[in-house]
Structures are given as C-alpha cells and as structure tokens.
Amino acid sequence: QVPLKPGRSLMDWIRLTKSGKDLTGLKGRLIEVTEDELAKHNKKEDCWICIRGFVYNVTPYMEYHPGGEDELMKAAGTDGTDLFDQVHRWVNYESMLKECLVGRMAVKPITAPKGEVLKNEIVSIMFYSKLNIFWYAQRKYIFFYLLYFLFYSCDWFQTDSLITIVIYTKLKDMNAELVIVDCQDKRLRGEIIVGDHSYLVELGKDCNFYETFSLLVNIAEKVGKVEVILKKKDNVHWKMLGQPLESHNTFIKRTDRGLFYRKCKLVSKTEVTHDTKLLCLMLPKSTHLRVPTGQHVYLKQIIAGTEVVKPYTPVLPFLPLNFKEPLRHDGARIYLMIKIYSCGLFTQALDRLQIGDYISVSNPEGNFMKSQIQTSEDLFLLAAGTGFTPMVKLLNFALTEVSCLRTVKLIFFNKTEDDILWRNQLEQLALKDKRFEVQFILSQPREDWVGKQGKISSSLLSEFVKRSRRDSKVLICICGPTPFTEQGVQ
C-alpha cells in the first residue's frame, strides 16, 4: 500500500461513485471495445483496463487505489485479469468499479484458413494439434485429470432419519482440513481439496434437509473416503438427493472456482492491546471447515452499499504451553486478531459489530505447506505488528508436531511496548520450551526500554538469524507491512 492524499479513502471513493458524476466519460453509454481501441487508453489521464472481458475507465480511481497509480498503470490499455488475480483477486472489483464500466471487449472474428483445405484435413489438423497440446503443453495436468476420472465418485444412502453422502477419493492422507462442507440456502456444497485443485459436489433445488441443523463429517484417512451425514427434516423416504447444480461433479483449479462465503456469528470480542482485538466467530452448525496452518480467510462486509473484502489469518484462542499432544479444537470457531485503525473503514466497521451480529467468511486460501516446516531444523519467524498472526499456528504446529526442529525463534518488531501482542504468553512459552526464543525489537521505545531497538536491517538480522549448526536446514517466514516484508526479503 501507498499513502493516499487526504480525501482519497475508500469511503471517499464510495461517495464519489454515488454522486451521479459520469466516471466513464461516455455519458452513460456502454460500448463494445476492440483491442486496438483499448490500447489507445494507456495514460494516467486516460486509462482503460480490461478484467474478465469487461473494460473499465480507471482514470477517476487512480488517486483512490491503495496500491498506488503505478500498480494500475501496469495494466493500462491491456487485459489486466492475470495481474489482478496475482495481487488481489478477492477484491470485488465489479462493485467497486461499476460506475466506471465502459463496456465489453469485442469478440475476435475467426479467420478462415487460406487456400482450399478439405474438411477432413481441418479435422485432422485440429486433432493432432489438440493431441500435441494435451501431451506437451498440458502434461502437468494429466495426473489431476486421471485422478478425477479414475478415483472420484459420489454415492448416497438413507435411513428413516438420516442421509449419508459418501465421496470416494482413494487419496491417502485425507484429513479434515481438506474437506469443506456447507449446507445453506437450500444448497449442499462439499469440496475436497487436492493441492491447487478441488473436487466439488453441489446440489440444490428440491431438497428437504436444507435447514439449520448439526452436520457430521467422517473421514477415513487411509482410504480417502469422506462421509457427510445429514438429518432429515421429516422421516420420509427420498427418491432423489437433490438437483445437481452447474458446478456439481467438477474437478478444476481452486482459483477458478471463486470465493465461497458463509455467515458466521460474532460470539466474543476481547481486547489484546490498546488497538487490537481478538474476535471469535461461530461457524454455522451446518458447516464443516478447518483453516489450515499458514492460510487465511476473507471477511466480507457491505459498507455504504458497496461490498468490501479483506483477508485475515485465523489464530488460536491462546498460545498452548503444554506440547505433549496437539491442541484439538471442535472446529466450530474461528479466532481473528485484528488491529482497529482509527481511519480504517473496514476495521472500524468490524469494531462496531455487536455480539450476535453476522459477518461473511470465505473458504481458506493460501499456498503454505506444513511440509516446509517438517523438514527444517531451524525455524525463524520475522513478524511486525499484526504480521504476528500467521505465526501463532506455525508456532503451535512446529513445537507440537515437528521433532526435527532444533530452534524456533520469533523476532517480533513493534513500535512500542504497548503494541506487543501476547507478550506474556510468548515469554511464558520461551521459559516452558527450551527450543523457543523470542526477541522483541522496538522502533519507538520509552527511555526505560532495555531491549533491542531499531527497524528491520541486515545488521539486526545477522545478530539473531543464525544456524544451530553449519549445515542445518533453515526456514524463514516473514509477515508484516509491505515495506517491512520487502526490506526483510532483501
């Protein structure tokens, strides 16, 4: 993010979009945009960008963009879909930019082949072309498609009171974190995660059980069988389970599915520091969801009629001090440690939520793998402010389940002592487990501060980031504000 001029906040942008001002320059007309026409609008004072086939005039939005004008200009006059997906595909750009919509991209005409080519020759060319593409350009996906066609199947059976849906994956090491089930709005949605792909069962319409009730998910880890058990509304015999929806029985990349949300109830809100709170959200009884270590969720709120989405990393309710066995949760709650910014539109709205209010929470996302820790001997966690949140579950997992770790060190950067999150818990943990060490570094300490001070630098890191032995395998995780992260990586 970059500093924005006064009067250029998200709330200011929302006000501008609702002012009735023409933000497209086309006086309300929608046009069909060719590639040549799009390419002409590539300057800051005249900037059009295409996202998923729709063209937007982002010139009025330049000064309001949290990432700065330069980031928007990377896609000026071009199709910016890939760039958008890389940076923040979770943002609801349709809502944010609806008043900037210029129109659709024109469909390219298909050019007929030159010369006289017989129909069977064209078919032959297409066949060999597709064959080559499949075996050479797309061969990395062969495993996944074979997996889908050979392994995935879904069945169901019933008793007088229960419906049991069985998904056969035949995948080893299937676990609760790889299964997401939601039963809401007269729809059953069950997703099985396989790396960056997923298999989806999605049924709706003529179903009797789509009410609020307890949901049970059983997983046979060694054979990869998943059972979803639902209670019938009435004790009657069913002729069919439900109407397959558009995405039912599909196996595709997770990023192509889009985000799925469910409404969660705020059940508690406790103060962590002067400006940071721990929110506890209760999942619906008809939802099964576990957020994997190192992954995040998105919260969605409607603010002044505009849909706003932000990512947050769930934490534990506290730091466990007994590492004899892994900490077990019922999975019904999600804990979020959130800093409330005085000028933050989204966090101020979060802070105004009352116990019992609802907020939309997405499926987990992220590419962090636990195996990265499981093969490491030295783990260093560099965190600044609420960049500490991803480290909470990492700490618990590392100290509980990774026996090969020799050292786990948290280097925690903050402005003042009052900003340090869970300081007492971290100090107790360091006393309890000899493998763990925490180092607090302040950039604006009081005069009586006896610890380290300064900002992230090579000299500070060289003092604290040291191997336990010369050839030990090291993993370094870093999270914090963008300047902190970039400096740390350098």
Side-chain angles (χ1 to χ4, degrees):
Q1 293 191 337
V2 300
L4 298 175
K5 297 176 183 177
R8 295 296 184 270
S9 68
L10 176 58
M11 195 67 229
D12 293 315
W13 171 251
I14 292 174
R15 290 194 193 98
L16 177 60
T17 62
K18 297 183 184 303
S19 67
K21 185 177 179 180
D22 177 21
L23 301 181
T24 65
L26 300 175
K27 298 181 180 179
R29 291 183 301 116
L30 290 178
I31 64 173
E32 193 174 56
V33 184
T34 64
E35 282 191 2
D36 290 342
E37 180 64 27
L38 177 64
K40 295 175 183 176
H41 303 269
N42 61 356
K43 302 176 181 65
K44 283 187 179 180
E45 60 277 8
D46 179 21
C47 182
W48 290 8
I49 292 176
C50 174
I51 304 177
R52 291 186 183 40
F54 290 91
V55 179
Y56 298 90
N57 178 4
V58 298
T59 310
Y61 184 59
M62 281 285 176
E63 293 186 345
Y64 296 84
H65 184 232
E69 297 178 358
D70 291 343
E71 287 299 307
L72 280 180
M73 288 305 297
K74 289 179 180 178
T78 67
D79 189 327
T81 305
D82 289 343
L83 183 62
F84 174 82
D85 285 343
Q86 290 170 21
V87 180
H88 40 35
R89 77 177 190 87
W90 42 271
V91 171
N92 188 341
Y93 65 91
E94 298 102 323
S95 178
M96 297 280 289
L97 299 176
K98 60 186 176 183
E99 300 302 327
C100 300
L101 180 63
V102 170
R104 281 182 176 273
M105 282 297 293
V107 179
K108 284 184 180 179
I110 300 173
T111 306
K114 293 181 180 180
E116 293 184 2
V117 183
L118 296 177
K119 184 176 181 181
N120 64 336
E121 290 180 306
I122 296 175
V123 172
S124 176
I125 291 168
M126 288 174 65
F127 173 78
Y128 285 117
S129 174
K130 288 181 179 178
L131 195 65
N132 287 335
I133 290 172
F134 180 76
W135 284 108
Y136 295 102
Q138 303 295 332
R139 62 180 180 269
K140 67 179 179 179
Y141 298 117
I142 291 176
F143 167 76
F144 290 109
Y145 292 129
L146 287 179
L147 189 69
Y148 167 54
F149 286 119
L150 296 179
F151 292 165
Y152 281 93
S153 62
C154 179
D155 202 355
W156 70 285
F157 56 89
Q158 62 183 308
T159 65
D160 287 342
S161 60
L162 299 176
I163 293 289
T164 300
I165 302 164
V166 184
I167 303 171
Y168 301 94
T169 70
K170 297 185 180 179
L171 288 173
K172 293 181 179 179
D173 301 322
M174 175 62 63
N175 63 71
E177 292 182 349
L178 303 178
V179 180
I180 304 171
V181 181
D182 287 276
C183 205
Q184 63 181 40
D185 301 328
K186 294 188 176 182
R187 173 167 62 166
L188 171 71
R189 188 182 190 278
E191 188 171 1
I192 310 294
I193 309 300
V194 188
D196 59 356
H197 284 65
S198 73
Y199 172 71
L200 187 66
V201 171
E202 193 168 31
L203 302 164
K205 306 290 185 184
D206 305 322
C207 301
N208 300 325
F209 59 81
Y210 296 109
E211 307 289 338
T212 301
F213 57 85
S214 296
L215 173 83
L216 179 62
V217 176
N218 294 328
I219 299 169
E221 295 187 4
K222 293 185 179 180
V223 297
K225 184 176 76 170
V226 178
E227 289 183 344
V228 180
I229 302 172
L230 308 158
K231 188 175 182 180
K232 289 182 179 178
K233 185 179 178 182
D234 301 304
N235 293 346
V236 295
H237 183 80
W238 286 25
K239 294 182 180 180
M240 63 180 294
L241 180 60
Q243 188 72 31
L245 300 181
E246 185 179 355
S247 298
H248 176 67
N249 198 34
T250 56
F251 186 83
I252 62 174
K253 292 191 73 171
R254 293 170 66 189
T255 52
D256 292 338
R257 289 205 187 279
L259 293 172
F260 183 82
Y261 289 87
R262 74 280 302 149
K263 289 186 180 296
C264 297
K265 183 192 289 186
L266 178 64
V267 294
S268 71
K269 184 165 45 172
T270 55
E271 195 170 279
V272 180
T273 67
H274 61 100
D275 63 358
T276 302
K277 296 184 179 179
L278 184 68
L279 275 58
C280 177
L281 303 176
M282 178 75 75
L283 289 165
K285 291 181 180 179
S286 52
T287 290
H288 168 92
L289 184 151
R290 307 288 187 272
V291 181
T293 298
Q295 294 197 14
H296 55 271
V297 297
Y298 298 100
L299 302 187
K300 179 170 68 175
Q301 296 190 92
I302 305 298
I303 301 176
T306 297
E307 195 175 275
V308 184
V309 179
K310 294 287 183 183
Y312 292 98
T313 304
V315 299
L316 301 174
F318 55 85
L319 275 178
L321 300 179
N322 183 358
F323 296 107
K324 291 181 180 178
E325 59 182 38
L327 182 69
R328 301 299 181 192
H329 290 294
D330 59 7
R333 294 172 173 84
I334 292 177
Y335 293 87
L336 300 170
M337 193 180 290
I338 296 175
K339 183 174 181 178
I340 310 299
Y341 293 91
S342 59
C343 57
L345 181 66
F346 195 87
T347 58
Q348 286 292 326
L350 279 181
D351 197 33
R352 287 193 294 270
L353 289 176
Q354 301 297 309
I355 303 303
D357 287 346
Y358 286 84
I359 187 167
S360 297
V361 180
S362 79
N363 282 359
E365 282 210 338
N367 53 18
F368 184 85
M369 303 295 290
K370 286 181 178 178
S371 57
Q372 294 173 263
I373 300 179
Q374 290 169 324
T375 56
S376 301
E377 295 170 87
D378 297 327
L379 174 63
F380 296 98
L381 308 175
L382 311 182
T386 47
F388 167 67
T389 55
M391 310 306 179
V392 175
K393 284 189 174 182
L394 285 182
L395 271 176
N396 180 61
F397 175 73
L399 296 174
T400 304
E401 301 186 48
V402 186
S403 57
C404 61
L405 277 170
R406 295 168 178 267
T407 59
V408 179
K409 186 178 291 188
L410 171 65
I411 300 111
F412 197 1
F413 293 79
N414 286 278
K415 288 183 179 179
T416 70
E417 282 185 83
D418 294 336
D419 296 319
I420 301 174
L421 303 168
W422 282 358
R423 179 178 180 178
N424 289 338
Q425 292 190 49
L426 289 167
E427 290 175 337
Q428 288 181 49
L429 182 57
L431 293 173
K432 192 82 174 179
D433 195 308
K434 62 181 181 182
R435 294 171 298 167
F436 177 65
E437 179 185 340
V438 60
Q439 182 69 52
F440 301 115
I441 302 174
L442 303 182
S443 61
Q444 299 175 16
R446 292 193 297 262
E447 290 183 2
D448 58 350
W449 173 252
V450 295
K452 286 286 180 181
Q453 55 183 290
K455 294 186 178 182
I456 192 167
S457 64
S458 57
S459 59
L460 267 177
L461 293 185
S462 62
E463 183 178 348
F464 297 116
V465 181
K466 296 178 180 178
R467 296 177 189 270
S468 59
R469 56 189 181 87
R470 191 171 62 179
D471 59 345
S472 65
K473 187 171 181 181
V474 174
L475 175 66
I476 302 177
C477 301
I478 183 167
C479 188
T482 302
F484 170 86
T485 304
E486 289 178 349
Q487 180 69 18
V489 170
Q490 289 174 13

